[in-house]
């Protein structure tokens, strides 16, 4: 038998071996290439993280300086040379709390007045060792301040926000971040002439401590600092550059190389399966590709989560602010208008309180979907917190397009939501600002949109307002009034109650009185209750104001022969599940029996159809407190609401009373209200009685009680006490026809 291989067989064998070797070489090369690519990306990500970490530290230093450098007290204490205060707030504290290695204060002549090193006061003479590297930065800052404040008597507004920061090599060769900020007043109370400013200098050395901070933050092990490029076969280096691009030093570390680690782990298996090298190579290549895909996916997912809201998937505040800057940059290039919409949901807290947070989360997601459907692909919808959203609208020809979108948003969010078996209605308030001014900044637009949103909410909610310059003044005025109201409540100064007597229609005797709050403002004079009560509701003060009114009224009534006192209650107070307990505490504190208290509510409260409201009203009435429905006839209450919630009295709104004797249709409505009250065993009080004709007609209709200027204007507590005493001494004689079978 001929065992020799034929030339063709040898050729095939040789070709097979060559092919196999070529395949192994190709697979090996491909594996090496894929591993290198993955690890190169990993190293690049780590290098970017290191540079980002250093940039974060550098960006944080001016912010930390400004926390004390923009302060009236800082300027005043520097001028007076108050060393203990300066150390505690500007030098030692800054060095110790924020970890600034060296802190210096330079006077207007650029001479050091105070210094700190490593959290302790130091000799200002130490500045001489770094003067040469700091002086160019001081010169740059002083020049910029001089230009900014030229021809001005007070430099504060011009130089606030200026600063110089760079990375330099200190005399010993080690790099450091040096930041200079002018020390300026924080208000107009302190004036500062150009050239007189003190300068705050902070030095943060870039050393192993900084490297360790970056290492912990970005989970990169073994970051170190070197003055020279210490990269070798194991380590990589990332340069530290100053503002001019000059290399000052290097960060070095042993990089994380996931692909090569994987190859090392699988090498024994590859050696054992040498006979199946081709298959193993293919499997390894496949695994490497999957690893690369997983890494890319992880990076993309991490990037997505960093810039998108986890609940809704729309951009978060970070991405929103970036998109806003991009929109402004595009506006400056193209000249097209950009609009910013701020909106939040009306009554969202009520949804959370009554239906729970899971339903609230579903509502937020549904709102985000509706908003996204309202805008074009080039616009941005972002969730910036809680129930607050923002929309960036770009490429507008005029303001009308922004207003059209705002109107659409109000309508779309105002439509009912079907969530978890509930029909939910919330609504939205929108603040809009539109501009094509190249000088506009993102921060300014956000502030203006927020002001417009506040104006929209203050005007009744469920609407939109376009920012105008006058709103700035209105907001400042409202904030000032808010602070004054807080002070008045805290000190119980300026606030007081007057009482309008309520008379029995039959006997003309006083059967009770309504307590009305008044505020004598120290500079604005007496303010309308509608003004400051609405303010108290908007700024979260209504519970405090309501408790004060209730306590004061009950204390007065308890010390007089007044049969009962009526107190108005805001619908917002009923959001507190403990409101009934608060009322009971006031009654116990003042000693007023529950039957001598009447609480006046509005029809809007009943329309909420809230189990909490119904429970609270039931508890109040069970204790003996009476409930009156104020301004009846102006809202939408139905008879079923009156029966469900339980009401003791209907008060006819004065707009109906004023039409009695003039408008037969209105007069018929009033008669119907009185008959409704009689049918449901409720007392009826007519408000705003101003003429004897109105009094006569109401008496003939059977109205139980009358209230108005004809009988008595609101009077002080002392005047009402005197009237009660006078009536007790000589009770009046009834002078009207029988009106009702009900008594007060």
């Amino acid at each position: 038998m001929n065992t020799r291989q034929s030339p063709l067989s040898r050729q095939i064998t040789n070709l097979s071996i060559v092919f196999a070797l070529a395949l192994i070489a190709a697979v090996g090369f491909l594996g090496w290439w894929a591993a290198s690519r993955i690890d190169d990306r990993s190293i690049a990500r780590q290098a970017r993280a290191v540079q980002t970490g250093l940039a974060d530290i550098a960006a944080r230093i001016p912010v930390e300086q400004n926390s004390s450098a923009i302060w009236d007290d800082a300027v005043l204490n520097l001028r007076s040379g108050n060393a203990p205060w300066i150390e505690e707030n500007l030098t030692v504290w800054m060095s110790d709390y924020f970890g600034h290695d060296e802190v210096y204060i330079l006077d207007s002549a650029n001479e050091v007045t105070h210094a700190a090193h490593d959290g302790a006061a130091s000799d200002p003479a130490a500045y001489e060792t770094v003067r040469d590297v700091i002086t160019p930065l001081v010169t740059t800052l002083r020049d910029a301040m001089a230009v900014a404040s030229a021809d001005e008597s007070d430099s504060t507004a011009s130089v606030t926000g200026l600063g110089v920061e760079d990375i330099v090599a200190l005399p010993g060769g080690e790099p450091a971040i040096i930041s200079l900020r002018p020390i300026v007043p924080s208000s107009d109370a302190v004036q500062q002439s150009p050239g007189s400013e003190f300068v705050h200098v902070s030095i943060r050395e870039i050393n192993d401590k900084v490297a360790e901070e970056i290492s912990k933050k970005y989970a990169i092990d073994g970051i170190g600092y070197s003055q020279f490029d210490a990269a070798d076969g194991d380590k990589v280096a990332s340069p530290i550059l100053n503002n001019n691009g000059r290399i000052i030093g290097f960060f070095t570390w042993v990089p994380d190389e996931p692909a090569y680690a994987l190859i090392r782990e699988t090498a024994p298996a590859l050696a054992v399966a040498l006979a199946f090298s081709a298959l193993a190579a293919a499997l390894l290549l496949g695994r490497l590709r999957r690893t690369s895909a997983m890494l890319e996916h992880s990076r993309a997912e991490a990037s997505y989560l960093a810039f998108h809201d986890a609940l809704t998937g729309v951009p978060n505040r970070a991405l929103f602010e970036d998109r806003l800057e991009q929109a402004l940059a595009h506006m400056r290039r193209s000249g097209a208008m950009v609009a910013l919409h701020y909106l939040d949901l009306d009554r969202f807290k009520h949804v959370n309180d009554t239906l729970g947070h899971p339903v609230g989360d579903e509502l937020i997601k549904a709102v985000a979907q509706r908003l996204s459907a309202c805008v074009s692909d080039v616009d941005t919808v972002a969730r910036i917190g809680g129930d607050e959203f923002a929309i960036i609208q770009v490429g507008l020809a005029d303001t009308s397009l922004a207003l059209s979108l705002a109107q659409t948003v109000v309508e779309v969010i105002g439509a009912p939501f079907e969530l978890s078996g509930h029909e939910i209605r919330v609504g939205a308030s929108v603040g809009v600002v539109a501009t094509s001014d190249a000088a506009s900044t993102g921060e300014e637009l956000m502030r203006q949109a927020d002001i417009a949103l506040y104006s929209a909410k203050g005007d009744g909610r469920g609407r939109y307002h376009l920012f105008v310059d006058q709103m700035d003044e209105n907001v400042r005025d409202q904030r000032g009034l808010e602070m004054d109201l807080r002070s008045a409540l805290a000190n119980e100064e300026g606030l007081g109650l007057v009482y309008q007597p309520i008379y029995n229609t039959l006997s003309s005797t006083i059967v009770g009185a309504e307590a009305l709050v008044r505020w004598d403002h120290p500079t604005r004079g007496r303010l309308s209750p509608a003004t400051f009560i609405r303010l108290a509701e908007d700024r979260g003060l209504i519970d405090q104001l309501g408790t004060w009114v209730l306590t004061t009224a009950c204390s007065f009534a308890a010390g007089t022969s007044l049969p009962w006192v009526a107190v108005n209650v805001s619908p917002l107070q009923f959001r507190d599940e403990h409101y009934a307990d608060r009322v009971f505490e006031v009654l116990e504190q003042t000693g007023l029996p529950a039957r001598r208290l009447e609480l006046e509510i509005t029809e809007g409260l009943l329309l909420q159809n809230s189990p909490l409201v119904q429970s609270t009203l039931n508890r109040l009435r069970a204790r003996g407190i009476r409930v009156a429905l104020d301004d009846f006839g102006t809202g939408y209450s139905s008879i079923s609401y009156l029966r469900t919630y339980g009401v003791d009295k209907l008060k006819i709104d004065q707009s109906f009373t004023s039409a009695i004797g003039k408008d037969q249709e209105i007069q018929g409505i009033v008669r119907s209200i009185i008959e409704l009250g009689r049918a449901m065993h409720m007392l009826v009080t007519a408000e705003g009685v101003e003429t004897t004709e109105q009094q006569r007609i109401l008496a003939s209709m059977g109205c139980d009680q009358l209230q108005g200027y004809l009988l008595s204007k609101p009077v002080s507590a002392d005047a009402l006490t005197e009237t009660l005493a006078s009536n007790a001494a000589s009770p009046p004689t009834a002078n009207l026809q029988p009106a009702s079978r009900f008594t007060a």
Side-chain angles (χ1 to χ4, degrees), residues 373-452:
C374 292
V375 303
S376 67
D377 293 339
V378 296
D379 298 334
T380 298
V381 173
R383 183 187 180 201
I384 56 178
D387 62 334
E388 299 175 351
F389 291 84
I391 299 175
I392 304 170
Q393 195 179 7
V394 300
L396 305 182
D398 52 53
T399 307
S400 64
L401 297 175
L403 297 180
S404 176
L405 176 59
Q407 176 66 38
T408 300
V409 168
V410 170
E411 293 173 354
V412 165
I413 304 304
F417 293 83
E418 294 289 341
L419 300 173
S420 301
H422 301 279
E423 181 179 281
I424 299 173
R425 294 180 180 270
V426 282
S429 299
V430 185
V432 187
V433 58
T435 183
S436 58
D437 184 359
S440 297
T441 65
E443 182 179 355
E444 182 67 10
L445 288 184
M446 288 188 284
R447 186 185 69 83
Q448 292 172 348
D450 189 53
I451 290 173

Side-chain angles (χ1 to χ4, degrees), residues 521-535:
H521 191 276
T523 59
R524 306 181 189 215
R526 175 158 290 189
L527 298 179
S528 165
T531 300
F532 63 86
I533 289 176
R534 179 62 175 275
L535 179 68

Side-chain angles (χ1 to χ4, degrees), residues 410-698:
V410 170
E411 293 173 354
V412 165
I413 304 304
F417 293 83
E418 294 289 341
L419 300 173
S420 301
H422 301 279
E423 181 179 281
I424 299 173
R425 294 180 180 270
V426 282
S429 299
V430 185
V432 187
V433 58
T435 183
S436 58
D437 184 359
S440 297
T441 65
E443 182 179 355
E444 182 67 10
L445 288 184
M446 288 188 284
R447 186 185 69 83
Q448 292 172 348
D450 189 53
I451 290 173
L453 172 60
Y454 173 82
S455 175
K457 293 174 72 68
D459 204 23
R461 305 175 186 269
R463 62 192 65 213
Y464 63 90
H465 276 187
L466 179 69
F467 175 83
V468 293
D469 291 337
Q470 185 182 0
M471 288 183 179
D472 258 340
E473 183 62 33
N474 292 340
V475 167
R476 284 193 290 269
D477 180 72
Q478 286 296 299
R479 286 176 178 166
L481 192 62
E482 175 192 351
M483 297 305 296
D484 293 341
L485 180 56
R486 290 184 185 276
S487 177
L489 286 169
N491 302 320
E492 297 190 4
E493 295 178 354
L495 291 171
L497 296 183
V498 294
Y499 301 86
Q500 186 169 30
I502 299 175
Y503 291 82
N504 182 284
T505 307
L506 288 173
S507 63
S508 296
T509 58
I510 295 176
V511 295
E514 180 180 357
L516 303 169
V517 64
R518 298 290 186 265
W519 183 16
D520 292 318
H521 191 276
T523 59
R524 306 181 189 215
R526 175 158 290 189
L527 298 179
S528 165
T531 300
F532 63 86
I533 289 176
R534 179 62 175 275
L535 179 68
E537 290 178 332
D538 289 340
R539 299 307 177 90
L541 296 174
I542 192 61
D543 288 332
Q544 187 177 353
L545 177 61
T547 300
W548 180 86
V549 171
L550 180 65
T551 303
T552 304
C554 290
S555 296
F556 165 73
T560 68
S561 60
L562 184 68
W564 47 263
V565 64
V567 177
N568 290 279
V569 183
S570 167
L572 298 184
Q573 292 178 262
F574 277 85
R575 292 183 179 179
D576 182 1
E577 60 182 344
H578 302 296
Y579 176 69
D581 296 320
R582 295 179 187 274
V583 175
F584 300 154
E585 289 174 5
V586 170
L587 292 177
E588 183 177 353
Q589 173 188 340
T590 58
L592 184 71
R595 58 182 174 78
R596 294 180 62 193
L597 175 62
E598 186 172 285
L599 298 179
E600 295 191 6
I601 62 174
T602 60
E603 293 177 278
L605 181 66
L606 305 188
L607 290 175
Q608 295 180 15
N609 196 22
S610 165
L612 176 61
V613 172
Q614 184 175 355
S615 172
T616 300
L617 289 175
N618 289 340
R619 291 186 63 199
L620 292 169
R621 297 184 73 232
R623 185 64 67 93
I625 299 170
R626 291 179 298 179
V627 176
L629 195 58
D630 199 13
D631 301 332
F632 185 75
T634 61
Y636 304 94
S637 289
S638 65
I639 295 177
S640 64
Y641 277 135
L642 297 180
R643 297 184 62 187
T644 299
Y645 284 90
V647 175
D648 301 289
K649 177 188 289 188
L650 301 178
K651 297 193 72 175
I652 301 172
D653 185 70
Q654 60 184 358
S655 62
F656 290 113
T657 303
S658 64
I660 291 177
K662 304 174 184 177
D663 188 323
Q664 291 300 315
E665 182 178 344
I666 296 296
Q667 193 163 310
I669 292 174
V670 172
R671 184 185 303 277
S672 298
I673 293 174
I674 295 173
E675 292 174 352
L676 174 64
R678 181 179 294 111
M680 300 189 70
H681 303 285
M682 300 176 185
L683 291 172
V684 179
T685 299
E687 298 181 289
V689 179
E690 296 184 352
T691 67
T692 55
E693 177 70 5
Q694 294 168 358
Q695 181 185 33
R696 183 189 63 77
I697 295 175
L698 287 166

Side-chain angles (χ1 to χ4, degrees), residues 347-361 363:
R347 299 181 296 278
F348 176 72
K349 183 178 183 299
H350 177 70
V351 173
N352 265 347
D353 292 343
T354 57
L355 301 179
H357 289 279
V359 176
D361 288 345
L363 176 60

Side-chain angles (χ1 to χ4, degrees), residues 238-256:
S238 180
I240 301 171
L241 306 175
N242 67 5
N243 291 348
N244 295 324
R246 177 171 170 263
I247 296 177
I248 307 299
F250 297 86
F251 284 118
T252 65
W253 69 97
V254 176
D256 179 23

